[in-house]
Structure formats: C-alpha cells, structure tokens
Amino acid sequence: LFYHELGNGNILPQHLLSKATAACETETNLQALQGLTASTGGAKTKFGLGYAVLDLPDAKDGFAFGHAGIGGSIGFHHKSSNTSVAIMFNKVGGDKESATEIINIISKHLDW
C-alpha cells in the first residue's frame, strides 16, 4: 500500500517523486545487502533520494522504484502500470532468486 500511494503522488508531490526516482547515486559499498533479490540482473543498485531505482530486466517497461530487504523481501512501484508489489519472506539469507522469479511471473501476467 505504501508504494502504491507513493507512486500515485499521495505521499510526495509528483515533482518531488520524479526527483526521488531518478537515479543519482550507485551503491558500491553495501551491494551485498542491497542485491540479495537479484532483481537488477547483477547490476549495481542505483538510488534516487533513498529509493532504489530498479531495472526489471525481463519486463518490456522495467522501470520501478522501491527497496529490497536483507532477507530477500522487496517492495516497489511499477510506474507505467501503476502497480505496486510487496514480496515478504520469512528468512534471512538463502535463495536470492525467489523474489526475481515471482517478479517475472507478475510481470508476464500483467504484460509489463
């Protein structure tokens, strides 16, 4: 719900949201923690004012913003489809491909 409201401009005005979701910094020091969902296809995590700017490699329009957690959980908003996704795992570490597989299924089903 948070990313849906944020993506629709109900938390930040659209002019601030566009700045918050423009990649302006690439994380290099915490990549081991930020990359655990493998949602970026192995690329370094890009940030825009605190939100990860995600490139979902298997989607036609793969731009999304959100953040990943250490246990493989992820929350994000896919801007062009106005869809928000939250994937929660009850684990720490383990299989980092699970969230990517779920995102790919959602992407295919919603025809992103």
Side-chain angles (χ1 to χ4, degrees):
L1 183 61
F2 172 76
Y3 280 111
H4 184 73
E5 293 297 310
L6 181 64
N8 285 305
N10 296 327
I11 295 175
L12 290 177
Q14 287 297 332
H15 72 281
L16 286 179
L17 184 60
S18 65
K19 291 179 182 179
T21 58
C24 53
E25 185 66 41
T26 301
E27 177 57 59
T28 55
N29 296 324
L30 298 175
Q31 190 62 35
L33 297 177
Q34 289 296 327
L36 283 181
T37 60
S39 64
T40 58
K44 299 286 186 197
T45 304
K46 295 177 278 186
F47 288 93
L49 299 180
Y51 296 102
V53 177
L54 307 171
D55 179 25
L56 307 174
D58 292 339
K60 289 182 270 185
D61 176 5
F63 174 77
F65 68 93
H67 75 281
I70 293 176
S73 299
I74 186 169
F76 65 90
H77 182 78
H78 184 255
K79 203 147 172 70
S80 67
S81 70
N82 196 28
T83 305
S84 296
V85 175
I87 301 169
M88 304 292 292
F89 293 104
N90 187 17
K91 64 178 183 167
V92 174
D95 180 16
K96 64 183 181 179
E97 299 296 325
S98 298
T100 301
E101 291 174 21
I102 293 169
I103 291 168
N104 289 339
I105 291 168
I106 292 168
S107 173
K108 183 178 178 180
H109 179 73
L110 296 178
D111 196 31
W112 287 350

